[in-house]
Amino acid sequence: MFKRKLKALDYMDWDKVNGNDPEHFRKLVVWLEDQKIRNYKIEDRECLRNIQSEDWIKVFQDYCNNVACPIVSSPLDQLEWLIGLAIRLEYEDDHKKYQEVTIEKVKEKSTVVPSVKSTNPLDNLNFYSEDFKSGVNAIAKILKVPQHPNHLITLEACSKVVCKRLNPNAIQNPNTVVIKGTPFPIGDVDLGFNMGDPVLNNAAKVLRLLYIHDLRELQTKINEAIVSVQNITANPKTDTKLGKVGF
């Protein structure tokens, strides 16, 4: 799991390391201390280098304590932490070198990435230009949609009108979208509470109606889903050729 890190550290056998092999494990710890971490003085590393010693595990735990390794449960996790420490120390020794390499790589990537030219004309539009705003307001006027100070919200409202009332099904069957009946007397409805301002009260009534409308649409979709499932489960197809009558 740490082979890439060892490769970055220029460990000779980075692709052959097996953390579960005691010999590999101990050799790697010694190499990290000798070449990268260097927490001990050279003469103090003898116990750590004696990888055949029966007390090496205890020496290793003492070493982890000396380098302030916060992990105490798993030797593999401790080794992973030591490798991370070695990478950090390697970076701190010559951070300018690695910063330059990073910048060069970014430049290389920017030159290698091909430029993609979109064929969608909408991608070339300036949605905040005066011409675009004028076009949105002209469409809203044709559709009789009230204009919002934010032209993008007006455009969204126009989109909803077109999708719901000017789609092919609605044009062929206008009765499905044309509202009939007596207009709802929203002004006479009791809100149930008073916000102290007639304008706010009317806004609250509108929000309540919109909420009820959304609930009705959701219930309609739920009913449609139930009917679709019932059509499958209540009317199973059977093959009478597989049945047998008598003996």
Side-chain angles (χ1 to χ4, degrees):
M1 59 183 176
F2 37 70
K3 289 183 177 180
R4 290 184 180 179
K5 296 179 182 179
L6 293 179
K7 183 179 181 182
L9 290 171
D10 294 328
Y11 187 63
M12 184 177 298
D13 297 324
W14 64 270
D15 57 337
K16 301 176 183 177
V17 174
N18 180 5
N20 294 314
D21 187 312
E23 184 177 357
H24 288 199
F25 185 98
R26 298 179 182 187
K27 284 184 177 180
L28 178 55
V29 171
V30 174
W31 183 86
L32 289 171
E33 169 59 21
D34 283 340
Q35 302 296 326
K36 304 298 178 181
I37 300 176
R38 297 185 286 272
N39 183 67
Y40 286 168
K41 294 180 180 180
I42 296 178
E43 57 270 19
D44 296 335
R45 301 174 189 170
E46 292 301 324
C47 293
L48 197 63
R49 290 173 178 171
N50 186 9
I51 61 175
Q52 304 299 331
S53 172
E54 295 180 356
D55 298 330
W56 192 90
I57 296 297
K58 182 179 182 302
V59 173
F60 173 69
Q61 294 302 328
D62 292 339
Y63 174 72
C64 290
N65 293 332
N66 289 329
V67 294
C69 176
I71 303 171
V72 296
S73 58
S74 171
L76 276 179
D77 291 339
Q78 290 173 320
L79 179 60
E80 177 79 12
W81 186 90
L82 291 174
I83 295 173
L85 174 62
I87 290 177
R88 179 170 64 83
L89 295 174
E90 183 82 359
Y91 174 79
E92 290 176 353
D93 286 345
D94 197 359
H95 64 278
K96 292 184 179 180
K97 169 186 173 183
Y98 296 104
Q99 286 178 345
E100 291 175 358
V101 171
T102 302
I103 294 173
E104 290 175 358
K105 287 186 177 180
V106 172
K107 289 181 179 179
E108 290 177 1
K109 288 182 180 180
S110 63
T111 56
V112 171
V113 174
S115 58
V116 180
K117 294 183 179 180
S118 174
T119 58
N120 187 350
L122 296 178
D123 293 337
N124 299 321
L125 289 178
N126 181 1
F127 297 100
Y128 295 93
S129 65
E130 293 301 325
D131 290 340
F132 185 82
K133 293 179 181 179
S134 300
V136 171
N137 293 332
I139 294 175
K141 187 175 181 180
I142 294 173
L143 297 176
K144 296 181 180 181
V145 173
Q147 296 181 12
H148 191 274
N150 186 342
H151 66 286
L152 295 180
I153 295 179
T154 304
L155 179 61
E156 185 178 357
C158 293
S159 174
K160 290 183 178 180
V161 171
V162 171
C163 291
K164 291 185 177 181
R165 291 176 172 257
L166 297 179
N167 61 73
N169 292 333
I171 293 175
Q172 293 178 3
N173 303 294
N175 292 330
T176 59
V177 294
V178 175
I179 300 176
K180 299 179 181 180
T182 305
F184 185 77
I186 186 173
D188 300 333
V189 175
D190 184 14
L191 184 59
F193 55 88
N194 189 358
M195 303 182 67
D197 187 334
V199 176
L200 293 178
N201 288 338
N202 289 333
K205 292 177 182 179
V206 172
L207 290 174
R208 174 183 287 176
L209 287 178
L210 291 174
Y211 176 68
I212 295 173
H213 176 72
D214 290 342
L215 287 180
R216 291 184 62 184
E217 284 193 348
L218 177 61
Q219 185 62 54
T220 300
K221 292 178 181 179
I222 292 173
N223 293 339
E224 291 174 351
I226 293 174
V227 171
S228 299
V229 173
Q230 288 178 340
N231 288 335
I232 298 174
T233 58
N235 186 24
K237 295 182 179 180
T238 58
D239 189 352
T240 56
K241 294 179 182 179
L242 300 177
K244 291 184 178 180
V245 179
F247 298 98

